[in-house]
Amino acid sequence: MTLKTTEAITLRNYPYREADRIVVFFTRSQGKLRGIARGARRLRSHFGSSLEPISHVRLVYFAKENQDLVSINSCDLLESHASLRGTLEGSYYCAYVSEVLSEFTQEGAANEKVFRLMLAVLDPSLTLSWEARARYFETWMLRLEGVFPMLQNCGRCGRSLQPESVFVPSGGHEACCRKCAAAGDLPLSTAELQLVYNIFSHRISDIDWSRWSPAAMKNLGLLNSKLIQYHLEKALKSGRFLKELNRC
């Protein structure tokens, strides 16, 4: 049995047996990891709030060969991000980004770029809406996975794409021009394209999010949602709650 230490982001937890919890983490050095937090359900558990979703923690655990679950020794808070999950909207978005991260990452496969992306999006010093954080996170996750389409040339005829005539198939990775677009392809307005370009060329803290209309933010979110569903071949459970929230 080996003792290991790593930074991690708590994704979710659920009850196990009488007093324990199984916790899913995205770790900096080992990728996604599942472990047992013994006694975590007890009133005076030493784990405190470190097992809450999107907590940034220093995780110490024991790993045994050929065993799926590690044994969590300690989990110390580096940043709780409690302010980000303290409202109904925040709790829904926390569940959403945690589910996207969990679905896009693999156990035992570290990804430093994704880990840094998550920390940047959750930065508590930023005075940003959850919608802005989610758009940045989704768009970059899709790009890092090779899912977000290239926007320079039409994937069907090869012509250069013009800002006023870009369409993205909901079931594919290639952007196309107006001439090649098929029924059901999603148009991207000039404003939405500029938003995408800003996301890919700037840190989240350097973008003036007030420049983008609610419509542009919503339409990019719709596109990202369709690309995520296509890539995963299923709808996200948390996506349903966000749709209900946006109807309110």
Side-chain angles (χ1 to χ4, degrees), residues 2-6 30 33 59-63 70-73:
T2 306
L3 183 66
K4 297 184 178 182
T5 302
T6 183
Q30 299 293 322
L33 179 147
L59 177 66
V60 181
Y61 64 95
F62 290 100
V70 303
S71 180
I72 300 171
N73 178 271

Side-chain angles (χ1 to χ4, degrees), residues 56-180:
H56 180 202
V57 301
R58 180 174 290 106
L59 177 66
V60 181
Y61 64 95
F62 290 100
K64 187 181 291 186
E65 282 190 39
N66 303 319
Q67 197 169 72
D68 293 334
L69 294 173
V70 303
S71 180
I72 300 171
N73 178 271
S74 63
C75 192
D76 299 322
L77 271 175
L78 299 176
E79 177 57 60
S80 70
H81 298 126
S83 62
L84 294 180
R85 60 172 182 263
T87 63
L88 180 62
E89 178 189 42
S91 65
Y92 283 178
Y93 271 107
C94 281
Y96 174 68
V97 297
S98 293
E99 186 178 7
V100 171
L101 185 58
S102 181
E103 291 289 346
F104 273 68
T105 54
Q106 303 295 322
E107 294 190 26
N111 193 321
E112 177 66 19
K113 289 182 179 179
V114 172
F115 195 88
R116 286 190 282 109
L117 169 64
M118 191 66 167
L119 291 184
V121 166
L122 297 177
D123 187 346
S125 70
L126 300 179
T127 55
L128 293 179
S129 68
W130 253 118
E131 186 175 24
R133 295 174 193 264
R135 291 299 86 82
Y136 193 88
F137 174 71
E138 298 161 345
T139 310
W140 261 110
M141 281 296 295
L142 287 165
R143 183 174 187 177
L144 292 172
E145 285 293 303
V147 179
F148 201 92
M150 301 298 290
L151 300 174
Q152 286 75 34
N153 298 95
C154 176
R156 293 171 180 165
C157 71
R159 294 188 181 93
S160 296
L161 291 172
Q162 302 303 312
E164 68 277 4
S165 60
V166 176
F167 292 76
V168 178
S170 58
H173 302 169
E174 297 180 334
C176 57
C177 64
R178 185 181 300 276
K179 183 179 179 180
C180 296

Side-chain angles (χ1 to χ4, degrees), residues 217-236:
M217 297 283 279
K218 180 178 179 180
N219 289 339
L220 179 57
L222 176 62
L223 170 63
N224 287 342
S225 177
K226 289 184 177 296
L227 291 173
I228 289 170
Q229 183 170 341
Y230 171 77
H231 179 64
L232 298 177
E233 298 183 339
K234 64 179 180 180
L236 294 174

